[in-house]
Amino acid sequence: LVAEDYKDLADSYKMALEGRGHEVIITTNGIECQRVYKQYTKQPDGQIKKHFDLVILDQNMPGMDGIETAKEIQKVDSKQKIIFITGYGNDVIPKLKQLTNNASVMNKPFTVEALLAEVEGWPVSKLREMLKKGFKEWDGHTGTSVPVGPSRTG
């Protein structure tokens, strides 16, 4: 489950992850992400069914930021693994204390290889091996988390 308000980034995460065989659901903000998470995990009898291996959250989103979204998700499942993808890692890291130990931070910009390594839990040795082969040879995608084109703040 991915919550990213910038469509081009969300689409690039989805393409790269699905290219590696992952099933991906995209949401555009924290409120929608929280709703989708509950829809897929809460059963009619009130029981929780683990559905998502991972939740990827942008920190700065309209409506509800990543930390607040993560808190709500971890109220449903305290063991849910969460990765924050943000350009504001120094602001997010101290706030991780509000969550369980299943949260980590990736600072923008980063390569798609780094995202896949984090999502799939590769050891450093495997990441180095893949980088030596050349990203295009082993996955067919290339790029970073920084979109090309007009600024999203403009």
Side-chain angles (χ1 to χ4, degrees), residues 3-78:
E4 171 60 64
D5 61 321
Y6 190 58
K7 184 177 179 347
D8 289 347
L9 284 179
D11 289 346
S12 68
Y13 301 157
K14 183 176 176 81
M15 183 175 67
L17 292 166
E18 286 182 344
R20 298 278 300 162
H22 299 280
E23 184 179 330
V24 179
I25 297 173
I26 299 291
T27 60
T28 59
N29 61 60
I31 296 167
E32 181 186 8
C33 179
Q34 176 187 202
R35 182 184 53 75
V36 169
Y37 186 84
K38 289 177 181 176
Q39 174 188 338
Y40 278 86
T41 57
K42 281 194 173 181
Q43 303 301 296
D45 62 2
Q47 296 295 312
I48 302 301
K49 176 183 82 174
K50 184 146 180 84
H51 185 81
F52 298 101
D53 295 322
L54 174 67
V55 177
I56 297 174
L57 299 173
D58 185 16
Q59 173 57 19
N60 291 347
M61 296 181 286
M64 179 182 283
D65 70 19
I67 290 289
E68 293 303 315
T69 303
K71 284 190 218 176
E72 292 301 314
I73 285 171
Q74 288 190 338
K75 283 180 186 176
V76 176
D77 181 358
S78 64

Side-chain angles (χ1 to χ4, degrees), residues 45-119:
D45 62 2
Q47 296 295 312
I48 302 301
K49 176 183 82 174
K50 184 146 180 84
H51 185 81
F52 298 101
D53 295 322
L54 174 67
V55 177
I56 297 174
L57 299 173
D58 185 16
Q59 173 57 19
N60 291 347
M61 296 181 286
M64 179 182 283
D65 70 19
I67 290 289
E68 293 303 315
T69 303
K71 284 190 218 176
E72 292 301 314
I73 285 171
Q74 288 190 338
K75 283 180 186 176
V76 176
D77 181 358
S78 64
K79 295 179 181 177
Q80 179 62 63
K81 183 178 177 187
I82 296 172
I83 298 174
F84 291 93
I85 294 181
T86 182
Y88 305 94
N90 291 337
D91 296 334
V92 174
I93 290 170
K95 295 177 183 178
L96 292 180
K97 295 175 191 168
Q98 301 172 36
L99 305 172
T100 67
N101 292 332
N102 295 330
S104 61
V105 177
M106 288 188 70
N107 272 312
K108 292 178 186 175
F110 54 85
T111 63
V112 175
E113 299 101 323
L115 175 63
L116 293 172
E118 183 71 22
V119 167

Side-chain angles (χ1 to χ4, degrees), residues 124-138:
V124 174
S125 59
K126 179 168 180 167
L127 177 58
R128 286 184 183 140
E129 173 190 332
M130 294 302 195
L131 290 173
K132 281 181 187 176
K133 287 182 179 180
F135 192 45
K136 288 183 180 183
E137 289 180 29
W138 63 269

